[in-house]
């Protein structure tokens, strides 16, 4: 189940919600005030790599620049 980010248009609270499908967004209610007037937010993801301490055990250096979007491809 994907997690989507929403903002309540009534109380302006930001929150996350597990949603079975994007079609189920109409069933989402604000946890703070209970309003159904919510808007799905555009979400981005984050990628971080630091030299020598990769969670991949140093493998990131073989995938290009070691960060997101490396352009040198796989070795």
């Amino acid at each position: 189940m994907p997690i989507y980010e929403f903002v309540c248009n009534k109380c302006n609270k930001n929150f996350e919600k597990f949603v079975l499908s994007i079609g189920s967004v109409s069933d989402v209610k604000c946890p703070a005030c209970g309003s159904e007037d919510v808007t799905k937010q555009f979400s981005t993801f984050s990628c971080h790599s630091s030299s020598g301490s990769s969670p991949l055990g140093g493998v990131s250096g073989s995938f290009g620049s070691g960060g997101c979007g490396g352009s040198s491809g796989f070795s």
Side-chain angles (χ1 to χ4, degrees):
M1 289 191 311
I3 299 174
Y4 291 103
E5 295 178 27
F6 296 90
V7 65
C8 177
N9 296 319
K10 184 176 179 183
C11 70
N12 208 30
K13 175 159 176 75
N14 292 310
F15 61 96
E16 296 176 345
K17 181 79 174 174
F18 287 108
V19 179
L20 293 174
S21 70
I22 193 63
S24 300
V25 169
S26 61
D27 299 333
V28 175
K29 293 181 182 178
C30 175
C33 70
S35 174
E36 293 179 355
D37 185 16
V38 299
T39 303
K40 182 181 173 290
Q41 298 296 295
F42 178 75
S43 300
T44 59
F45 67 93
S46 166
C47 179
H48 176 75
S49 176
S50 58
S51 61
S53 61
S54 170
L56 299 175
V59 176
S60 64
S62 67
F63 291 106
S65 67
C68 291
S71 60
S72 63
F74 296 104
S75 298

